[in-house]
Structures are given as C-alpha cells and as structure tokens.
Amino acid sequence: MTSLSLLASALEPVTHGWHVFPLRRGDKRPAGHAEQRCPGTGRCAKGHLKPEQRATTDRDLIVAAWTSQPYNIGIATGPSGLLVVDLDVLKPEEQEGTPDGAQSLLALCERAGQTLPHTYQVRTPSGGQHLYFTQPTGTRLHSTAGRLGHHIDTRGWGGYVVAPGSTTPHGAYTVTDESPVAPLPAWLADQLSERPKPDPHTVMTPVRDGTKAAQIALDRECAVIRAAGDHSRNNTLHKSTCKVARFVAWGNISRATVEEAIQAAGESTGLSVAECTTTIRSAMDWILTHATPREAT
C-alpha cells in the first residue's frame, strides 16, 4: 500500500476523535525506538514517550509522518475513549475442541443472559475480530488478557489496536461492520473492572468422592493449573480439564466435584470467575460428548 493510501487510513480514525501513532511498515509493532534504547533526546528529552503518549489527533503531525514513510497505523485505545474486544482464532498446535474467541464470547453472553449491540468491527489478517466499544463515562478500563474468556483480550488504557488499512504479510485489517461504535455494555464493564486477585495460597476444600485414580488425577491437574504462568494459564486450564473430564466420562468421579476443584484452582491464578467457567465447561462438554463407548467402560 502506498504512503498516500496509508495516510488516508491514518486520517480516518481522527474523524472519530481517535488518537493514532505510526507502526512499523507491514508490522504490528510501534515504530521508533524501544524504551530500553531510548536516547533521552528530542521528544524523549524529559523521559521516554510510549506509543500511547505519542498518539495524536493533530492532522499536521500525521501528514508529516505518513508522507515520509508508509507506516501501518496504531490506535491508542485509552486516549481514544475506546475499549476494543479482541477475539483471537485458535493456534495450529491447540487441541481440537478448544474454544476460539468468538465461541468464548458467545458462551459468556449466554451465561449472562445478555446480547451485544451492533458496533464497529474490524477483521484481522488471521481471521480474528476487533469489536469497538466506547468506555463508560468516568472509567479507565485497562487492557486485559483472557479475563473475559479463552482467546478474548481487551484493549483499553495501556494498549492499542492496529487500524483498518494496515497490512501485514498475512493480509489486511478490514472493516466488516461500519455501525457506529456502541457504548460498552454495563455487564461487560463490570467484568473488566479491577478486582483484587484471590490468595494463591488458599487451601482448597478436599474432595472425597471418586476412585483413587480419579482423585490423584484431579489433585495433580489442580496443582498444574495453580503453577501455570500468566501467558499459559488459559491453555493449561483447558488441557487439565480435558484430562480429568475423561474420569467423569468413565463414571469415576462426579462432574460437580471436578468443576468445583478446577474452578478454585483457575481462580487462584488470577483468572476471572467467568473465564474459568467458560473454559472448564467448554472442555468438559467436548470430552463428555466425544467419549467413545469403549472409553466409557
């Protein structure tokens, strides 16, 4: 794409009052130097300026930048008053039956008995979706990873999204719904509000039913979940649930017992109640649906 085409794409968000900044050509990463390599001169003379701080609605600055190089476009969501729900697709290495972002969001809506309003949407090169919402008045919702569900991230203060018109080697970011940006529903805003993390050292209530093998498996997988790092805890929660769900399918332990224990283990890592419930139910339902008669004997 030419510099003039990208300039037009960079100016479009400004018509909505959104703050933009340059990304590397054909990339999702911010242009310019990283904080650890900041020279402390020029615009950073008083301290390193992060992309969110450099983002602007000044048309003259935008024209000067994008006529010099064909940058991709970043939208700083916090200063723009946006909360963008980022729905990811599955990775090739993920286990069959793992919910993608769209499925996790649908499950979340069903459990809450809620629907989402039509709003501005963008398709990513990988096939994911960006759903744009305005932040509630007087709030500063920050970016989250997995709080709403498996493969659901959000971009608010401290984050950004790649704007339509930008391209990567995998394709282009394109608008798929030009509806006006809707306000973030209150029930979602409540899910994203900051809450203190549960005490990771909370002692779980011991479970007593099921065979010895099922109990050992449940205890082991709960320990695996509690030890998972921030970037792997969702995937670990799903895999561990699948492993123990087989014992439920075989009749060795009750579903309620497993879900209660794994829910507590998942929440101890800082995952939300809703996210744990979504992931656990999805994994459990898939295993129970696909267990063969031979396996269940």
Side-chain angles (χ1 to χ4, degrees):
M1 186 172 287
T2 67
S3 293
L4 289 179
S5 297
L6 284 165
L7 171 59
S9 296
L11 289 171
E12 172 61 24
V14 176
T15 65
H16 302 284
W18 301 341
H19 293 60
V20 302
F21 64 94
L23 302 178
R24 297 181 187 182
R25 181 176 182 176
D27 204 330
K28 299 190 295 185
R29 293 172 294 175
H33 58 262
E35 185 172 6
Q36 59 269 31
R37 297 183 179 178
C38 182
T41 59
R43 68 188 181 202
C44 298
K46 295 183 179 179
H48 178 70
L49 293 181
K50 297 181 179 180
E52 187 174 83
Q53 297 168 301
R54 292 192 285 116
T56 183
T57 57
D58 188 315
R59 290 177 176 269
D60 291 337
L61 291 177
I62 294 169
V63 169
W66 269 270
T67 52
S68 67
Q69 289 202 45
Y71 293 114
N72 270 347
I73 308 112
I75 298 174
T77 42
S80 301
L82 294 172
L83 191 290
V84 176
V85 178
D86 181 5
L87 306 178
D88 288 332
V89 297
L90 298 183
K91 297 178 176 62
E93 67 274 13
E94 290 190 278
Q95 184 173 352
E96 183 181 358
T98 303
D100 63 14
Q103 292 168 330
S104 293
L105 184 61
L106 178 61
L108 178 64
C109 291
E110 289 177 347
R111 286 195 309 277
Q114 302 285 347
T115 58
L116 293 179
H118 289 292
T119 193
Y120 186 84
Q121 294 185 36
V122 173
R123 187 181 187 278
T124 71
S126 66
Q129 301 175 61
H130 290 169
L131 279 58
Y132 285 54
F133 297 97
T134 57
Q135 293 223 13
T137 303
T139 64
R140 286 174 67 96
L141 295 175
H142 291 260
S143 299
T144 67
R147 179 175 295 181
L148 292 180
H150 198 57
H151 283 307
I152 305 178
D153 297 334
T154 64
R155 301 289 180 253
W157 285 94
Y160 68 91
V161 290
V162 183
S166 301
T167 60
T168 72
H170 303 290
Y173 288 78
T174 57
V175 178
T176 55
D177 190 332
E178 296 183 346
S179 298
V181 178
L184 183 70
W187 67 276
L188 269 184
D190 181 65
Q191 296 266 0
L192 294 170
S193 298
E194 294 293 333
R195 292 182 174 85
K197 289 186 176 182
D199 182 357
H201 302 296
T202 299
V203 177
M204 292 169 48
T205 302
V207 293
R208 302 184 184 281
D209 59 322
T211 65
K212 183 177 181 180
Q215 182 65 63
I216 292 172
L218 178 60
D219 292 343
R220 180 181 64 241
E221 294 306 323
C222 284
V224 169
I225 293 167
R226 290 195 297 271
D230 287 347
H231 299 295
S232 63
R233 54 189 180 176
N234 267 308
N235 202 32
T236 300
L237 183 66
H238 186 271
K239 288 182 178 179
S240 292
T241 303
C242 285
K243 291 178 181 179
V244 185
R246 289 176 172 82
F247 288 94
V248 177
W250 298 334
N252 299 134
I253 194 169
S254 74
R255 175 170 182 165
T257 295
V258 171
E259 289 185 341
E260 178 184 0
I262 292 184
Q263 179 83 21
E267 289 179 32
S268 76
T269 68
L271 294 174
S272 69
V273 173
E275 180 179 12
C276 291
T277 302
T278 298
T279 302
I280 293 168
R281 286 182 180 175
S282 174
M284 184 70 69
D285 289 345
W286 193 90
I287 292 295
L288 295 184
T289 300
H290 293 82
T292 66
R294 182 179 61 81
E295 289 178 326
T297 57

